[in-house]
Amino acid sequence: PERFQTPLRAQGRQQVIEGLEPIPLRDLQALGAPKVWSVDSKLEDLESLTPVRGELQAEHRGNVLEVRGELQTIVSLCCDRCLGQFNQSLEVSSEELIWLGQDQSAEAMAEAGFDPDSPDGLIENLDPRGSFEPERWAFEQLSLQLSVVNRCGPECPGPPQQQPSKRQAANPAPVDPRWQALQQLREQQADA
């Protein structure tokens, strides 16, 4: 939050709002200054152990909406390997330019002074008559920090081991004849 607070507070032209309700883009344009939300609450779509904390700001700049945010929270996840629960810290520091307009063509962006082929190109777009949803933006940015595969850490015990019941041990399942040679090798290695 330091990065956003210092320059904006020094300029003395921001509004700090507690709620993350959607705001019409025309209202943001009328402000003529960044709108800043102090975040210290749970997000409806993100199950977290702690409230999401940080700061988010949006500024209407003609054909684009500049959105910045620094957010953090802790979520509880299930390890995909051992199925145990573990906590993971999510932290995000993100900046994004969102194109405001129906026409998302390269010509329209170039005319507005943006290089559509740059790696920092404008990917998202909003209808200029619509609203910006800060809670949705925060949810998306934090969700992007979640791993595709959840691992509890390097000390993960691995998959839970199941002990065969006495009935299973007495009556082993029939072995597919195609795997019988492999089964014999496994038994030989176990006996050695």
Side-chain angles (χ1 to χ4, degrees):
E2 298 277 326
R3 191 172 84 192
F4 299 119
Q5 290 176 359
T6 307
L8 294 176
R9 292 198 198 296
Q11 294 171 6
R13 43 180 209 128
Q14 71 177 0
Q15 284 188 326
V16 177
I17 307 291
E18 291 299 323
L20 292 176
E21 294 81 25
I23 181 169
L25 291 170
R26 292 180 190 228
D27 290 356
L28 278 174
Q29 185 177 21
L31 281 176
K35 177 111 169 184
V36 179
W37 292 267
S38 291
V39 183
D40 190 7
S41 63
K42 295 222 178 203
L43 299 181
E44 185 175 325
D45 294 331
L46 182 69
E47 291 185 31
S48 59
L49 296 174
T50 62
V52 175
R53 292 188 174 100
E55 191 168 276
L56 190 142
Q57 76 176 23
E59 182 174 9
H60 196 290
R61 294 187 170 207
N63 292 338
V64 296
L65 181 67
E66 182 180 358
V67 185
R68 299 179 188 180
E70 290 189 11
L71 304 165
Q72 62 184 11
T73 190
I74 297 174
V75 294
S76 180
L77 301 172
C78 178
C79 179
D80 291 332
R81 189 163 183 232
C82 71
L83 304 178
Q85 295 289 318
F86 69 99
N87 296 339
Q88 180 177 344
S89 175
L90 296 180
E91 295 182 19
V92 66
S93 177
S94 183
E95 296 181 27
E96 181 178 18
L97 294 176
I98 302 172
W99 180 252
L100 301 177
Q102 303 293 341
D103 186 10
Q104 197 175 2
S105 68
E107 295 83 28
M109 289 182 189
E111 187 176 303
F114 295 99
D115 179 8
D117 297 324
S118 78
D120 299 327
L122 307 170
I123 297 172
E124 298 291 326
N125 73 315
L126 289 173
D127 183 343
R129 298 168 292 185
S131 297
F132 171 66
E133 299 178 29
E135 183 171 350
R136 186 97 208 125
W137 189 86
F139 167 76
E140 290 171 354
Q141 299 304 312
L142 287 166
S143 294
L144 288 171
Q145 302 305 308
L146 291 169
S147 299
V148 176
V149 177
N150 296 319
R151 300 279 187 204
C152 60
E155 304 296 320
C156 180
Q161 300 294 324
Q162 292 183 348
Q163 298 296 327
S165 68
K166 290 179 183 178
R167 182 172 171 224
Q168 288 173 330
N171 300 323
V175 176
D176 185 329
R178 295 171 290 182
W179 293 102
Q180 194 165 13
L182 182 60
Q183 181 65 29
Q184 289 172 351
L185 285 173
R186 289 181 70 192
E187 290 172 359
Q188 289 172 2
Q189 284 184 337
D191 291 339

